[in-house]
Amino acid sequence: MTQALQEYDKSSERLSPAGLALHYANMINQIDNIALRPTCLSPNVRDSLYQGLPTSVRATLRSSLQRCNNKEEITAPQIKAEMEKNLQWLVPMAANTTNTEFSKKTAPSDDLIHLQTLYHADKKAADSYILELVTWLHQLIIAVKQNSMDSGVHPSDLQAMWARCCIPP
């Protein structure tokens, strides 16, 4: 191993050795599910996502949200397109991580391959992607709410729609 690679290995923290790969996979799946149905965001889901965020993400989230509030207004489809740029490769990695963790529990084996999972992901890079996605998610929810208000949907009607799509019969 080269000197530069050894230094990089020492200086970076990986998700799995830190026991975080599955947790990050679950956060990515939560973000993806909320982005698919932003009108169905209950306070419990929002609070659960926020509580699960890494400390470093929570610490910088407020300033990130303030910066995005100063930008020009963009539409919900534009926001979803921006989110999809990262979700299109993060969601399969999160699914592979979840499947690998499940496989280890059901059929323990030392020869599992951790490629295309979050196992070797750099924690700082993962935190950066999570922060970006949560910031976009915030903008998406605001855009969807604004769009519903502009189209004449009363907030109580919106809550009824949320209840229909989020609460099973």
Side-chain angles (χ1 to χ4, degrees):
M1 198 179 317
T2 67
Q3 180 69 23
L5 196 53
Q6 287 174 343
E7 289 301 315
Y8 178 76
D9 247 7
K10 290 178 188 174
S11 67
S12 66
E13 183 180 0
R14 304 289 178 195
L15 291 183
S16 198
L20 297 171
L22 186 59
H23 179 69
Y24 276 62
N26 289 334
M27 276 192 296
I28 291 165
N29 287 327
Q30 255 187 309
I31 291 168
D32 185 47
N33 286 331
I34 294 169
L36 290 173
R37 292 178 300 282
T39 57
C40 294
L41 182 65
S42 71
N44 292 344
V45 172
R46 182 196 62 216
D47 293 345
S48 171
L49 177 61
Y50 181 78
Q51 293 304 318
L53 292 175
T55 307
S56 63
V57 172
R58 275 193 264 161
T60 56
L61 184 58
R62 181 180 301 270
S63 63
S64 179
L65 293 177
Q66 287 171 342
R67 278 193 308 274
C68 81
N69 286 338
N70 296 333
K71 293 182 182 176
E72 64 184 55
E73 199 171 305
I74 59 177
T75 66
Q78 291 170 322
I79 294 168
K80 281 188 170 190
E82 286 298 318
M83 291 181 76
E84 189 59 31
K85 290 177 185 176
N86 288 330
L87 288 173
Q88 70 182 353
W89 62 271
L90 279 171
V91 170
M93 287 183 72
N96 290 344
T97 302
T98 304
N99 291 339
T100 301
E101 290 296 318
F102 178 73
S103 296
K104 283 194 315 190
K105 288 183 170 81
T106 57
S109 171
D110 290 336
D111 57 346
L112 284 173
I113 298 175
H114 295 287
L115 298 176
Q116 298 182 347
T117 69
L118 297 172
Y119 185 85
H120 296 290
D122 179 77
K123 186 180 181 315
K124 286 182 183 175
D127 286 353
S128 175
Y129 285 116
I130 296 289
L131 176 62
E132 182 181 341
L133 286 170
V134 170
T135 303
W136 280 119
L137 191 60
H138 172 77
Q139 287 184 286
L140 177 63
I141 291 166
I142 288 174
V144 167
K145 284 182 181 179
Q146 185 63 44
N147 189 29
S148 67
M149 289 179 167
D150 290 347
S151 64
V153 177
H154 190 272
S156 62
D157 295 336
L158 194 56
Q159 282 193 327
M161 287 183 342
W162 286 346
R164 281 196 304 273
C165 71
C166 298
I167 301 170

